[in-house]
Amino acid sequence: MNHKHINTLGELKEVGYQPKSIKEEIRQNLLRRLQEGEETFTGIMGYEDTVIPDVERALLSKHNILFLGLRGQAKTRMARQMTGLLDELVPVVSGSEINDDPLNPISKFAKDLIREKGDDTPIEWIHRSQRYGEKLATPDVSVADLIGDVDPIKAANLRLSFADERVIHYGIIPKSNRSIFVINELPDLQARIQVGLFNILEEGDVQIRGFKLRLPLDILFVFTANPEDYTNRGSIVTPLKDRIESQILTHYPKSLETALAITEQEADLAAEQKEKVAISDLVKRLIEQVAFEARGSEFVDKKSGVSARLTIAAFENAVSSAERRTILNKEKNTQVWIADLIGIIPAITGKIELVYEGEQEGPFQVAMNLLDKSIRSQFVQYFPNPETLKKRAPRKGESPQVVDNPYKAITSWFDKGNALNLSFGLKDRDKINQLYSVDGLHGLVKKTFPHANETEAALLMEFVLHGLASYSLLSKKIFETSVEFKDLMGSMLNIQTSAFDDDEEDEDFR
């Protein structure tokens, strides 16, 4: 329909326009999308077989929706994308505060205007992007904010009594008539304010103060909330929860592949960062694994959750860490090394809630432990598991077996008293040269990954050292500006000496 020439109520009637409720409008557009095989929600990964089908069923049933899940699970993003299921344009009475339908007005303003002007009543068209309202529930939100109240200033200016409907100042919900309205963090809304939503959800109307006023609002409500057992700031009152027809549980990515795709999509990297800094699949997986380790850690509050924002921020920090090093070293380009992941610690400590034991351990130490566990988990995806290489005692009748240990040459080099101190600010060439100085390190990588180029091989060589340290085959010490690898036994013998060395501030994570 060409809407440009339709500017009055009479013209709207002539073209045979038929109004629909917002829930019917969404239902019809969703049915069309499903029939044509179009994607309902774009950029929402990992929900294809779980959350999205639940949402589609709820919308087909014309239900109000409650998204229940931990932070960083795309609850608000899904609600905002529902505007794509609205008609592109819908007519409203010009000047109406509450988007009155010209063929079905509900406000006194619109009714009086239509009574006065009839088919000459002016109309305007609003885009679907304007038919979305959102409110973050906070303890200071009032009934007046959401629903409305008497406005004494309006009464004085118009010289009207408080008994006149025209003195009402509408809240954000009536102003979202014929729209999608979202209340985020619903449990944070005070119980007495939640009670004020009962009528809107059940009967679809609002009551303001003592007015005998019925506004049959046409709204699709979407609420978001963390699970009640998590939020200690409040809860959803039972009668309100009963009035929300569909409660949909969201979740974190169930696979590392999905998590990788989400971070890749959401990370905000500058163009010059993409040009200067290469980030390997290995490093990306290490960053994602940190979130998976955190969600299973005994130090992290599971009820609070670990947001996908952790890995997005960590990814950005890792690239920026490498970029900063490149600028300081006046190099043209680089890659993200394992050592650069020390730069993601602030992204981890700021995104996890610790239980009491975690607080005792300390946020920095917990973050380092999570990074170490990530390296340990991913190491066996690339190299033989050190745990399975331990010599097995021969069974009765068996001859002693010698297990081929691919790491023996490396650990032997350190056993001879050699150590490797890698500065966080090393130039790439200097770092590669130092890694090649370790006997057996390059040979192991080339044997396992024969097609790796020099840069890829060097990263894998660094990864081997961190991996062996995570399996307690080497000692790893993190200093302020470097990481040092030594033989484990020698480090244990010198542990008391280093403990009383005031000149070195370091943390031994082995």
Side-chain angles (χ1 to χ4, degrees):
M1 182 191 296
N2 185 359
H3 305 290
K4 292 182 179 179
H5 67 283
I6 302 174
N7 298 309
T8 65
L9 177 58
E11 292 171 350
L12 189 66
K13 290 177 180 177
E14 284 178 14
V15 297
Y17 177 80
Q18 293 295 321
K20 295 174 288 190
S21 71
I22 184 170
K23 291 179 179 178
E24 182 60 35
E25 185 182 326
I26 288 176
R27 173 183 159 79
Q28 290 183 12
N29 289 329
L30 176 57
L31 283 172
R32 179 188 55 77
R33 280 203 188 186
L34 292 174
Q35 289 164 356
E36 296 177 4
E38 294 180 15
E39 195 175 8
T40 310
F41 296 93
T42 59
I44 308 293
M45 301 176 190
Y47 283 177
E48 294 85 357
D49 301 319
T50 53
V51 177
I52 290 177
D54 284 341
V55 174
E56 290 172 346
R57 284 187 281 267
L59 295 176
L60 291 175
S61 300
K62 303 182 187 178
H63 286 177
N64 294 311
I65 295 171
L66 168 63
F67 285 119
L68 191 65
L70 298 174
R71 54 186 177 175
Q73 293 184 350
K75 301 187 291 295
T76 305
R77 171 171 290 197
M78 290 199 70
R80 289 174 179 171
Q81 285 204 19
M82 289 180 191
T83 55
L85 295 171
L86 297 171
D87 290 342
E88 185 177 7
L89 296 168
V90 292
V92 298
V93 175
S94 291
S96 170
E97 281 188 272
I98 60 172
N99 299 328
D100 276 288
D101 184 341
L103 298 177
N104 187 25
I106 60 174
S107 72
K108 182 174 175 58
F109 166 83
K111 290 176 180 176
D112 288 349
L113 187 64
I114 291 172
R115 189 180 302 114
E116 176 189 342
K117 297 194 174 184
D119 285 350
D120 293 328
T121 302
I123 66 167
E124 57 190 55
W125 296 84
I126 60 172
H127 191 261
R128 57 187 166 211
S129 60
Q130 298 173 270
R131 299 171 64 197
Y132 177 87
E134 185 176 303
K135 181 67 177 173
L136 175 63
T138 54
D140 63 329
V141 173
S142 66
V143 172
D145 293 332
L146 291 179
I147 300 175
D149 204 351
V150 172
D151 186 347
I153 297 175
K154 184 185 284 189
N157 289 340
L158 297 175
R159 296 183 179 180
L160 299 171
S161 75
F162 284 0
D164 195 305
E165 184 182 321
R166 288 172 289 176
V167 304
I168 293 174
H169 171 76
Y170 292 115
I172 190 170
I173 291 178
K175 287 179 179 178
S176 298
N177 183 40
R178 302 174 71 202
S179 303
I180 297 168
F181 186 72
V182 179
I183 297 182
N184 281 316
E185 306 300 341
L186 182 60
D188 287 349
L189 207 61
Q190 293 183 49
R192 64 184 180 84
I193 311 300
Q194 292 185 36
V195 170
L197 299 175
F198 288 0
N199 255 44
I200 301 175
L201 289 175
E202 191 67 22
E203 285 80 27
D205 69 317
V206 298
Q207 298 175 1
I208 299 176
R209 292 280 179 164
F211 281 94
K212 292 181 179 178
L213 169 70
R214 186 174 186 275
L215 287 177
L217 298 175
D218 181 23
I219 298 176
L220 169 65
F221 281 96
V222 179
F223 304 97
T224 74
N226 285 310
E228 287 184 81
D229 60 347
Y230 154 58
T231 178
N232 53 16
R233 301 183 300 272
S235 61
I236 305 174
V237 296
T238 304
L240 178 60
K241 202 171 182 181
D242 184 55
R243 285 168 165 79
I244 304 171
E245 296 94 339
S246 284
Q247 175 178 289
I248 297 171
L249 302 178
T250 57
H251 56 81
Y252 287 122
K254 295 183 177 180
S255 72
L256 199 68
E257 303 302 325
T258 301
L260 282 165
I262 292 171
T263 301
E264 193 83 29
Q265 173 183 275
E266 299 300 321
D268 184 15
L269 299 181
E272 56 266 30
Q273 287 181 312
K274 294 177 181 178
E275 291 175 8
K276 282 186 177 181
V277 182
I279 182 164
S280 67
D281 185 66
L282 165 60
V283 172
K284 292 177 183 178
R285 288 175 181 275
L286 287 174
I287 292 171
E288 292 303 331
Q289 189 66 40
V290 168
F292 281 82
E293 297 295 338
R295 288 169 193 146
S297 173
E298 68 274 20
F299 295 132
V300 178
D301 186 355
K302 293 176 179 59
K303 293 179 180 178
S304 173
V306 178
S307 169
R309 299 184 189 98
L310 183 151
T311 51
I312 296 166
F315 184 92
E316 293 166 348
N317 266 9
V319 174
S320 296
S321 181
E323 180 189 32
R324 177 181 178 274
R325 173 173 46 75
T326 304
I327 293 169
L328 294 176
N329 288 336
K330 295 180 171 54
E331 294 176 298
K332 289 185 178 179
N333 48 56
T334 188
Q335 67 173 338
V336 179
W337 294 92
I338 307 297
D340 290 320
L341 296 184
I342 195 73
I344 76 173
I345 299 302
I348 301 173
T349 56
K351 297 286 190 296
I352 55 175
E353 296 289 332
L354 302 180
V355 296
Y356 175 76
E357 292 80 2
E359 295 289 353
Q360 294 298 106
E361 192 81 1
F364 179 82
Q365 181 67 52
V366 170
M368 290 301 299
N369 287 341
L370 292 174
L371 181 54
D372 195 58
K373 286 184 176 180
S374 172
I375 291 170
R376 181 183 172 93
S377 296
Q378 284 297 311
F379 187 70
V380 295
Q381 306 298 322
Y382 292 81
F383 294 97
N385 187 343
E387 292 285 344
T388 64
L389 298 174
K390 295 176 181 177
K391 289 185 179 180
R392 176 173 65 83
R395 297 189 182 96
K396 190 174 181 179
E398 279 186 336
S399 59
Q401 296 179 352
V402 179
V403 178
D404 180 25
N405 185 349
Y407 308 118
K408 187 173 182 181
I410 301 169
T411 55
S412 295
W413 186 83
F414 285 100
D415 288 342
K416 293 173 184 175
N418 294 309
L420 187 67
N421 191 296
L422 297 174
S423 170
F424 295 139
L426 271 177
K427 289 186 176 181
D428 286 0
R429 175 46 55 189
D430 294 338
K431 185 165 197 167
I432 291 171
N433 290 339
Q434 283 193 248
L435 289 168
Y436 271 86
S437 70
V438 180
D439 288 349
L441 190 54
H442 179 253
L444 169 68
V445 169
K446 288 306 289 182
K447 181 179 179 181
T448 313
F449 296 93
H451 302 296
N453 60 35
E454 185 186 46
T455 306
E456 293 167 342
L459 175 65
L460 289 164
M461 289 162 71
E462 184 190 23
F463 181 46
V464 169
L465 295 178
H466 285 271
L468 293 180
S470 71
Y471 278 91
S472 300
L473 294 180
L474 293 177
S475 165
K476 180 174 75 173
K477 289 185 180 180
I478 306 291
F479 297 90
E480 287 185 354
T481 58
S482 65
V483 55
E484 182 184 65
F485 296 95
K486 286 183 176 180
D487 70 296
L488 186 65
M489 189 57 66
S491 178
M492 291 174 65
L493 292 174
N494 293 327
I495 191 168
Q496 290 187 339
T497 304
S498 62
F500 292 100
D501 188 350
D502 294 329
D503 295 330
E504 292 183 341
E505 294 182 6
D506 66 275
E507 295 288 343
D508 189 347
F509 296 104
R510 290 280 58 81

